[in-house]
Amino acid sequence: MEPVIQIKPGTTKWDIRQKVWDYIEEKNLANFPRPVHNRIPNFKGAFTACTKVSELQVFTKTSEVKVDPDKTLEGVRMAVLQARKTLLVPTPRLRTGLFNKITPPQGATKEQLRICSSAQGVKDFSVPVGLDAKVKVDLVVVGSVAVSEKGLRIGKGEGFADMEFGMMASMGAVNESTVVVTVVHDCQVVDIPEEIIESHDLTVDYILTPTRVIKTDCQFPKPLGIIWTKLNSEKLEKIPILKKLRDLEEQGGKDVTLGAPPVAEEPGFQTSRPARQPRRRPRQNMQGDAEEESKDEKRAEFEKKARQRPARVRRESRGDGGKEGENQERRRVKSGGNMREKGPEEGGSEVGSQRKLPPTVTTVYLGGIPAGLRVSELKTALREREAAPLRLTWQGAQHRAFLDYIDPQAAEQALEALQGLSLNGSSLQAELAKSQRGGKRSGQSNRRPRPSAAPWSKPAQADAKSEPKEVTEQ
């Protein structure tokens, strides 16, 4: 079957990712969460593709199955639980361990199993599994951005699926014969050049799409351990379980020499990503996103200028720079300080586009942010819980942030997902911003809640003075 997305010689992994993400968005092939950029796409027809896993002969013989936590693979997790097999799901970003074992309630109904297979169920019905546990994984199911019929796979660029398989190999949970399955839309099956696949990249044996089951007969080996030279000390700090595994392997006499830290690496970037790549998308494919490119190129210049301004007029976003930041300052003055209504979306947004916010935008207040937490870490946590906002206003010095969602329904879904969120040992408080609870029209303002029962009755002049605090990093 001829791929619908054509890949030219010399194409990089990021080129391929961008082509796939753009195609899925342009053809409207995705479900929530959108946009699909920097995600494993939750494509339309994913559940149908997931159900095909039970048709695989290897599935009937398995007892323990590891399935990634992506929304796309919810149907696979459901199939594993319905078949009464042991379901293992990686802990989010490997921060607290390697696996969580999902344990449904005794005699769980189909609806309860569906809940257990969801992101919330993974949190509520799981038990941690350590490196020293005696685990034998028979089948591994991963998400992908692109995959070839030869079994070559490209993820979203963070390397977690590759690391997880290497760690499982180190603890004896998988080996070279362990079957790996991926679930993708038909358009994600492309011709991936063999020369861009590296030794640490995970390959797949089966590809499930809404219309096909592809047996790849892949000739490329799977990573049978962590390749320490591909990692650095910064990565180990972010993933404590890697430090524990490295200590164990060092005690066993293995070479655990780390690679050099990346040059001028931006927060949240991965070591495999080119140093000059923009934060959200590769430079080569920035069509329709020139402002985002400008942010990265002028970051240093703008931050230098920002430090020279009073704190109250500094932009909260690390991504805004140069003339864009100055233009937004002027727009805020002209609009009486109401950036929420008239300003463009801020660069600190997790999923921000360059469009104006819709009039139905609903704001969620997030309090209790611990000192020292980075905005990139909060964005990561929001993405993991599928609660990424249209715009994020960061006020770390005041231990709070404001999250703008497209409408009240999206805000309610986010509130539900954020219940019980804990970062760096601190529990965060998520609730509708006071502007929403007070009956003001959505999107009007996100000021810090005040004791007054009618915070919107103050004169407009007072509003103009206090508003800039909402978009500063103090």
Side-chain angles (χ1 to χ4, degrees), residues 78-265:
M78 178 73 169
V80 173
L81 294 176
Q82 285 184 312
R84 307 299 176 183
K85 300 179 186 294
T86 299
L87 173 60
L88 300 174
V89 179
T91 58
R93 307 188 76 79
L94 302 179
R95 283 204 179 98
T96 58
L98 180 55
F99 292 129
N100 280 334
K101 178 181 177 181
I102 310 304
T103 54
Q106 188 70 26
T109 63
K110 183 175 181 179
E111 176 60 21
Q112 288 174 318
L113 292 179
R114 186 194 65 78
I115 294 173
C116 288
S117 65
S118 68
Q120 189 61 43
V122 170
K123 299 179 182 71
D124 295 342
F125 298 96
S126 62
V127 178
V129 177
L131 282 175
D132 53 351
K134 300 300 181 184
V135 177
K136 185 63 177 177
V137 177
D138 307 303
L139 182 66
V140 173
V141 185
V142 297
S144 301
V145 173
V147 66
S148 77
E149 293 192 11
K150 294 181 179 180
L152 307 183
R153 171 190 175 272
I154 295 177
K156 60 185 177 183
E158 296 186 324
F160 282 103
D162 307 324
M163 280 191 294
E164 289 159 9
F165 195 90
M167 294 171 73
M168 288 190 292
S170 296
M171 63 186 290
V174 297
N175 54 42
E176 65 276 1
S177 63
T178 302
V179 176
V180 178
V181 176
T182 193
V183 181
V184 296
H185 191 275
D186 288 280
C187 74
Q188 294 173 258
V189 182
V190 301
D191 292 329
I192 299 176
E194 296 181 6
E195 60 269 18
I196 67 175
I197 298 301
E198 301 175 74
S199 57
H200 64 277
D201 288 328
L202 181 62
T203 55
V204 303
D205 301 292
Y206 288 92
I207 303 169
L208 308 183
T209 79
T211 64
R212 294 191 290 168
V213 175
I214 304 170
K215 189 174 186 298
T216 67
D217 295 318
C218 185
Q219 302 301 309
F220 288 77
K222 300 179 177 69
L224 296 181
I226 293 294
I227 303 174
W228 296 105
T229 53
K230 297 286 186 180
L231 304 177
N232 56 60
S233 56
E234 183 178 340
K235 177 70 74 174
L236 263 64
E237 289 299 322
K238 293 180 179 178
I239 307 177
I241 194 171
L242 272 177
K243 296 173 66 176
K244 182 177 179 181
L245 178 60
R246 183 169 180 253
D247 291 340
L248 291 174
E249 294 202 352
E250 188 173 26
Q251 293 170 12
K254 293 186 178 181
D255 182 3
V256 293
T257 303
L258 297 176
V263 178
E265 182 178 354

Side-chain angles (χ1 to χ4, degrees), residues 316 340 346 391-395 400-403 470-471:
E316 60 87 18
R340 293 290 171 186
E346 303 169 50
R391 178 172 65 181
L392 184 154
T393 300
W394 174 255
Q395 296 183 353
R400 68 192 180 199
F402 293 93
L403 315 177
E470 298 172 15
V471 292

Side-chain angles (χ1 to χ4, degrees), residues 32-33 71 120 362 364 382 385-388 405-419 430 432:
F32 176 85
K71 177 71 173 176
Q120 189 61 43
T362 303
V364 169
L382 295 175
R385 292 196 170 218
E386 299 179 357
Y405 294 94
I406 192 169
D407 54 32
Q409 182 179 1
E412 288 297 332
Q413 292 175 348
L415 281 172
E416 182 179 352
L418 294 175
Q419 296 307 308
L432 283 178

Side-chain angles (χ1 to χ4, degrees), residues 50 267 332:
C50 286
R332 179 167 60 230

